[in-house]
Amino acid sequence: MSEQLGLELRRIREERGLTVEELAEKSGISATTVRAVERGTREARGDTVAKLAKPLGLTFDDVWRLQRRRG
C-alpha cells in the first residue's frame, strides 16, 4: 500500500469524525498499526485494508480506486 493511500485513508477517517483509537476499535486493528498504515511506514495486507475500510464505509473497490488514482 502506498503512502498516498495511507494519507487518503487518514483524510477519510478524519472526515468521518473518527479518531485513530475509534477506528482501531471498530476495525479490530491496533491503533499503532492504524497510525503506521496512515503514515505509509507499514505495508498493509489486503485483509488489514478491508478491516480498516469497512468502518469508514468504503468497499474494497473504493480502496482500489483510491490506490489507482493516488499510486
Side-chain angles (χ1 to χ4, degrees):
M1 185 167 87
S2 72
E3 180 179 354
Q4 287 297 326
L5 179 57
L7 292 172
E8 192 69 13
L9 290 175
R10 178 180 180 182
R11 181 188 64 76
I12 293 168
R13 174 184 57 77
E14 291 173 345
E15 282 180 358
R16 304 287 194 273
L18 294 172
T19 65
V20 168
E21 291 75 15
E22 290 168 332
L23 179 56
E25 184 177 324
K26 290 175 181 288
S27 66
I29 304 295
S30 74
T32 301
T33 299
V34 172
R35 285 185 190 94
V37 168
E38 288 185 351
R39 286 192 310 266
T41 59
R42 181 169 184 172
E43 187 71 26
R45 298 183 321 222
D47 61 329
T48 300
V49 173
K51 288 178 182 178
L52 291 172
K54 186 173 182 177
L56 295 174
L58 302 173
T59 66
F60 185 81
D61 287 341
D62 294 333
V63 173
W64 176 253
R65 280 190 291 276
L66 289 171
Q67 188 170 9
R68 299 293 296 162
R69 180 175 45 154
R70 295 294 203 174

